[in-house]
PDB file of all heavy atoms in Angstrom:
ATOM      1  N   PRO V 150     116.994 114.891  91.924  1.00  0.00           N
ATOM      2  CA  PRO V 150     117.570 113.700  92.552  1.00  0.00           C
ATOM      3  C   PRO V 150     119.035 113.919  92.901  1.00  0.00           C
ATOM      4  O   PRO V 150     119.765 114.579  92.171  1.00  0.00           O
ATOM      5  CB  PRO V 150     117.407 112.606  91.481  1.00  0.00           C
ATOM      6  CG  PRO V 150     116.386 113.128  90.529  1.00  0.00           C
ATOM      7  CD  PRO V 150     116.475 114.615  90.579  1.00  0.00           C
ATOM      8  N   GLU V 151     119.442 113.348  94.033  1.00  0.00           N
ATOM      9  CA  GLU V 151     120.837 113.448  94.417  1.00  0.00           C
ATOM     10  C   GLU V 151     121.664 112.449  93.621  1.00  0.00           C
ATOM     11  O   GLU V 151     121.159 111.458  93.111  1.00  0.00           O
ATOM     12  CB  GLU V 151     120.988 113.167  95.917  1.00  0.00           C
ATOM     13  CG  GLU V 151     120.335 114.233  96.785  1.00  0.00           C
ATOM     14  CD  GLU V 151     120.943 114.230  98.162  1.00  0.00           C
ATOM     15  OE1 GLU V 151     121.568 113.227  98.534  1.00  0.00           O
ATOM     16  OE2 GLU V 151     120.787 115.234  98.866  1.00  0.00           O
ATOM     17  N   ALA V 152     122.955 112.726  93.529  1.00  0.00           N
ATOM     18  CA  ALA V 152     123.857 111.821  92.807  1.00  0.00           C
ATOM     19  C   ALA V 152     123.934 110.491  93.532  1.00  0.00           C
ATOM     20  O   ALA V 152     123.913 110.420  94.763  1.00  0.00           O
ATOM     21  CB  ALA V 152     125.246 112.456  92.707  1.00  0.00           C
ATOM     22  N   LYS V 153     124.017 109.409  92.750  1.00  0.00           N
ATOM     23  CA  LYS V 153     124.118 108.084  93.333  1.00  0.00           C
ATOM     24  C   LYS V 153     125.533 107.844  93.858  1.00  0.00           C
ATOM     25  O   LYS V 153     126.496 108.449  93.414  1.00  0.00           O
ATOM     26  CB  LYS V 153     123.760 107.018  92.288  1.00  0.00           C
ATOM     27  CG  LYS V 153     122.305 107.070  91.860  1.00  0.00           C
ATOM     28  CD  LYS V 153     122.010 105.958  90.874  1.00  0.00           C
ATOM     29  CE  LYS V 153     120.543 105.999  90.461  1.00  0.00           C
ATOM     30  NZ  LYS V 153     120.224 104.919  89.472  1.00  0.00           N
ATOM     31  N   ALA V 154     125.609 106.933  94.799  1.00  0.00           N
ATOM     32  CA  ALA V 154     126.914 106.604  95.362  1.00  0.00           C
ATOM     33  C   ALA V 154     127.807 105.961  94.306  1.00  0.00           C
ATOM     34  O   ALA V 154     127.330 105.230  93.435  1.00  0.00           O
ATOM     35  CB  ALA V 154     126.737 105.662  96.554  1.00  0.00           C
ATOM     36  N   GLU V 155     129.072 106.224  94.389  1.00  0.00           N
ATOM     37  CA  GLU V 155     130.006 105.655  93.424  1.00  0.00           C
ATOM     38  C   GLU V 155     130.171 104.161  93.687  1.00  0.00           C
ATOM     39  O   GLU V 155     130.024 103.689  94.812  1.00  0.00           O
ATOM     40  CB  GLU V 155     131.373 106.366  93.547  1.00  0.00           C
ATOM     41  CG  GLU V 155     131.329 107.844  93.202  1.00  0.00           C
ATOM     42  CD  GLU V 155     131.047 108.071  91.730  1.00  0.00           C
ATOM     43  OE1 GLU V 155     131.312 107.150  90.923  1.00  0.00           O
ATOM     44  OE2 GLU V 155     130.547 109.161  91.388  1.00  0.00           O
ATOM     45  N   GLU V 156     130.512 103.409  92.638  1.00  0.00           N
ATOM     46  CA  GLU V 156     130.744 101.981  92.794  1.00  0.00           C
ATOM     47  C   GLU V 156     131.964 101.760  93.688  1.00  0.00           C
ATOM     48  O   GLU V 156     132.943 102.488  93.649  1.00  0.00           O
ATOM     49  CB  GLU V 156     130.977 101.329  91.427  1.00  0.00           C
ATOM     50  CG  GLU V 156     129.735 101.310  90.568  1.00  0.00           C
ATOM     51  CD  GLU V 156     129.973 100.509  89.301  1.00  0.00           C
ATOM     52  OE1 GLU V 156     131.047  99.884  89.192  1.00  0.00           O
ATOM     53  OE2 GLU V 156     129.079 100.529  88.438  1.00  0.00           O
ATOM     54  N   GLY V 157     131.887 100.736  94.495  1.00  0.00           N
ATOM     55  CA  GLY V 157     132.982 100.441  95.410  1.00  0.00           C
ATOM     56  C   GLY V 157     132.684 100.888  96.824  1.00  0.00           C
ATOM     57  O   GLY V 157     133.344 100.450  97.766  1.00  0.00           O
ATOM     58  N   GLU V 158     131.675 101.784  97.006  1.00  0.00           N
ATOM     59  CA  GLU V 158     131.309 102.190  98.350  1.00  0.00           C
ATOM     60  C   GLU V 158     130.586 101.037  99.020  1.00  0.00           C
ATOM     61  O   GLU V 158     129.901 100.234  98.381  1.00  0.00           O
ATOM     62  CB  GLU V 158     130.435 103.436  98.316  1.00  0.00           C
ATOM     63  CG  GLU V 158     131.187 104.690  97.912  1.00  0.00           C
ATOM     64  CD  GLU V 158     130.355 105.939  98.140  1.00  0.00           C
ATOM     65  OE1 GLU V 158     129.311 105.815  98.805  1.00  0.00           O
ATOM     66  OE2 GLU V 158     130.741 107.008  97.671  1.00  0.00           O
ATOM     67  N   LYS V 159     130.675 100.963 100.313  1.00  0.00           N
ATOM     68  CA  LYS V 159     130.057  99.875 101.051  1.00  0.00           C
ATOM     69  C   LYS V 159     128.544  99.932 100.918  1.00  0.00           C
ATOM     70  O   LYS V 159     127.891  98.931 100.668  1.00  0.00           O
ATOM     71  CB  LYS V 159     130.480  99.934 102.528  1.00  0.00           C
ATOM     72  CG  LYS V 159     131.963  99.645 102.752  1.00  0.00           C
ATOM     73  CD  LYS V 159     132.292  99.679 104.229  1.00  0.00           C
ATOM     74  CE  LYS V 159     133.777  99.376 104.453  1.00  0.00           C
ATOM     75  NZ  LYS V 159     134.130  99.406 105.891  1.00  0.00           N
ATOM     76  N   ASP V 160     127.967 101.082 101.110  1.00  0.00           N
ATOM     77  CA  ASP V 160     126.513 101.230 101.025  1.00  0.00           C
ATOM     78  C   ASP V 160     126.179 101.978  99.747  1.00  0.00           C
ATOM     79  O   ASP V 160     126.224 103.197  99.698  1.00  0.00           O
ATOM     80  CB  ASP V 160     125.990 101.990 102.242  1.00  0.00           C
ATOM     81  CG  ASP V 160     124.472 102.044 102.262  1.00  0.00           C
ATOM     82  OD1 ASP V 160     123.817 101.428 101.392  1.00  0.00           O
ATOM     83  OD2 ASP V 160     123.935 102.712 103.156  1.00  0.00           O
ATOM     84  N   LYS V 161     125.852 101.251  98.684  1.00  0.00           N
ATOM     85  CA  LYS V 161     125.595 101.891  97.403  1.00  0.00           C
ATOM     86  C   LYS V 161     124.293 102.664  97.392  1.00  0.00           C
ATOM     87  O   LYS V 161     124.090 103.522  96.546  1.00  0.00           O
ATOM     88  CB  LYS V 161     125.583 100.837  96.290  1.00  0.00           C
ATOM     89  CG  LYS V 161     126.943 100.209  96.059  1.00  0.00           C
ATOM     90  CD  LYS V 161     126.909  99.261  94.875  1.00  0.00           C
ATOM     91  CE  LYS V 161     128.271  98.648  94.648  1.00  0.00           C
ATOM     92  NZ  LYS V 161     128.277  97.739  93.488  1.00  0.00           N
ATOM     93  N   GLY V 162     123.375 102.332  98.301  1.00  0.00           N
ATOM     94  CA  GLY V 162     122.106 103.046  98.336  1.00  0.00           C
ATOM     95  C   GLY V 162     122.199 104.353  99.099  1.00  0.00           C
ATOM     96  O   GLY V 162     121.277 105.154  99.091  1.00  0.00           O
ATOM     97  N   LYS V 163     123.334 104.581  99.768  1.00  0.00           N
ATOM     98  CA  LYS V 163     123.466 105.765 100.609  1.00  0.00           C
ATOM     99  C   LYS V 163     123.812 106.990  99.773  1.00  0.00           C
ATOM    100  O   LYS V 163     124.548 106.904  98.799  1.00  0.00           O
ATOM    101  CB  LYS V 163     124.556 105.516 101.640  1.00  0.00           C
ATOM    102  CG  LYS V 163     124.646 106.593 102.705  1.00  0.00           C
ATOM    103  CD  LYS V 163     125.697 106.210 103.734  1.00  0.00           C
ATOM    104  CE  LYS V 163     125.821 107.260 104.821  1.00  0.00           C
ATOM    105  NZ  LYS V 163     126.858 106.911 105.797  1.00  0.00           N
ATOM    106  N   ALA V 164     123.258 108.144 100.115  1.00  0.00           N
ATOM    107  CA  ALA V 164     123.555 109.382  99.393  1.00  0.00           C
ATOM    108  C   ALA V 164     125.012 109.762  99.627  1.00  0.00           C
ATOM    109  O   ALA V 164     125.659 109.313 100.580  1.00  0.00           O
ATOM    110  CB  ALA V 164     122.624 110.495  99.863  1.00  0.00           C
ATOM    111  N   LEU V 165     125.539 110.634  98.777  1.00  0.00           N
ATOM    112  CA  LEU V 165     126.953 111.004  98.862  1.00  0.00           C
ATOM    113  C   LEU V 165     127.256 111.831 100.105  1.00  0.00           C
ATOM    114  O   LEU V 165     128.390 111.869 100.549  1.00  0.00           O
ATOM    115  CB  LEU V 165     127.356 111.777  97.599  1.00  0.00           C
ATOM    116  CG  LEU V 165     127.462 110.939  96.322  1.00  0.00           C
ATOM    117  CD1 LEU V 165     127.779 111.831  95.139  1.00  0.00           C
ATOM    118  CD2 LEU V 165     128.532 109.871  96.466  1.00  0.00           C
ATOM    119  N   HIS V 166     126.240 112.483 100.664  1.00  0.00           N
ATOM    120  CA  HIS V 166     126.499 113.281 101.858  1.00  0.00           C
ATOM    121  C   HIS V 166     125.307 113.156 102.797  1.00  0.00           C
ATOM    122  O   HIS V 166     124.205 112.833 102.382  1.00  0.00           O
ATOM    123  CB  HIS V 166     126.743 114.748 101.500  1.00  0.00           C
ATOM    124  CG  HIS V 166     125.582 115.380 100.776  1.00  0.00           C
ATOM    125  ND1 HIS V 166     124.453 115.844 101.425  1.00  0.00           N
ATOM    126  CD2 HIS V 166     125.383 115.597  99.456  1.00  0.00           C
ATOM    127  CE1 HIS V 166     123.615 116.333 100.535  1.00  0.00           C
ATOM    128  NE2 HIS V 166     124.146 116.185  99.333  1.00  0.00           N
TER     129      HIS V 166
END
Side-chain angles (χ1 to χ4, degrees):
E151 293 202 341
K153 294 182 179 179
E155 296 292 337
E156 291 187 7
E158 289 191 12
K159 293 182 179 180
D160 186 5
K161 293 185 180 181
K163 189 176 180 182
L165 288 176
H166 59 80

